[in-house]
Structures are given as structure tokens and as C-alpha cells.
Amino acid sequence: MKKSILLSAIFIVGMVSVFILSGCASGTALVTGTQRPATNADEVVIYTEAPEKYEVIGIVTASSDSGWTEQGDLNYAVAELKKQAAKIGANGIILESVGTINSGGVISYGVYIPVTAKNVSGKAIYIVLEDAQ
């Protein structure tokens, strides 16, 4: 009896792990200004307040339920947000919202496991850099 309960618990944990790992980050970019050549997502900077000189290129959104924790979900969502901004030529994002939504759940052996996702959105911007002379 104990062995079957243990095996069931291990199976449920395994199924949850597969379900969580199969999630992904997704995002969108809506161009509202002048699109520029693509940039490197690793170089896109997140701002909570607008920098001094910039041009708005568009609006970007991203969502993720891929992390093991809420912070992991947020990290994946922010990485996707940067990818979306880089696609339209942004080198910065003015962060406008961060939130959590219930994205459904899964029932495994009669146990409901809720799944939440982190959502982020902001303005994709091009920061006008001054010549250093």
C-alpha cells in the first residue's frame, strides 16, 4: 500500500514537472511609430521612468508560465518582452504593467493544479544617444 502511494506521488510530481517545463513565454509587438532595424534583445534596457530623449516605436507585451516560481515566470516574461522590443528596433522599454493571471490548470489523478502566468507590457522605445564629444 505504501509503495503504491509513493509511486503515485512520484508520478504526479513528474507529470507536474513535465507540464510546467512544457510552458513557454509568448509575446506581441504593435508598431505605433517608426520601426527601426532589429536590435539585440540582450541590450534592451528596462526603464520604470522615461529617459530624457526617446522615440516610441510601439507597444510590447509578454506572458510566461514557464518558471518554477513566480520570479521565474517573471524572468521569462521580461526576456520575451525584450525579444519583442528588439524585433522592432527598440533599445529600451518603459515598463507599464506587471501582473499575474490564472491561465487555467491541470487535473492529475483527481488533483487540480492551478497554473498562473506573469504578464508584462510596456512602450518599446529608441533612446536617442548623444555623441560623446
Side-chain angles (χ1 to χ4, degrees):
M1 178 72 170
K2 288 182 181 180
K3 188 174 183 179
S4 66
I5 291 173
L6 178 62
L7 289 175
S8 294
I10 291 171
F11 181 76
I12 290 171
V13 169
M15 290 300 292
V16 169
S17 299
V18 168
F19 180 74
I20 290 173
L21 290 176
S22 67
C24 62
S26 62
T28 61
L30 173 65
V31 177
T32 59
T34 303
Q35 185 168 348
R36 295 176 173 270
T39 59
N40 183 341
D42 293 333
E43 296 174 2
V44 174
V45 177
I46 301 288
Y47 295 90
T48 56
E49 294 181 18
E52 195 169 314
K53 292 184 179 180
Y54 67 94
E55 299 169 13
V56 176
I57 296 174
I59 300 167
V60 288
T61 63
S63 178
S64 176
D65 62 1
S66 298
W68 287 96
T69 63
E70 284 191 31
Q71 184 63 52
D73 289 345
L74 183 58
N75 293 347
Y76 282 118
V78 168
E80 181 63 26
L81 194 70
K82 288 181 171 188
K83 287 179 192 174
Q84 293 298 323
K87 285 182 191 178
I88 60 173
N91 60 5
I93 299 168
I94 301 172
L95 194 61
E96 294 185 323
S97 71
V98 176
T100 303
I101 63 164
N102 181 350
S103 61
V106 62
I107 296 175
S108 180
Y109 290 94
V111 176
Y112 178 75
I113 302 165
V115 177
T116 59
K118 286 292 185 182
N119 291 330
V120 291
S121 66
K123 290 180 184 172
I125 60 172
Y126 180 80
I127 301 159
V128 180
L129 302 173
E130 297 291 329
D131 289 333
Q133 290 184 355

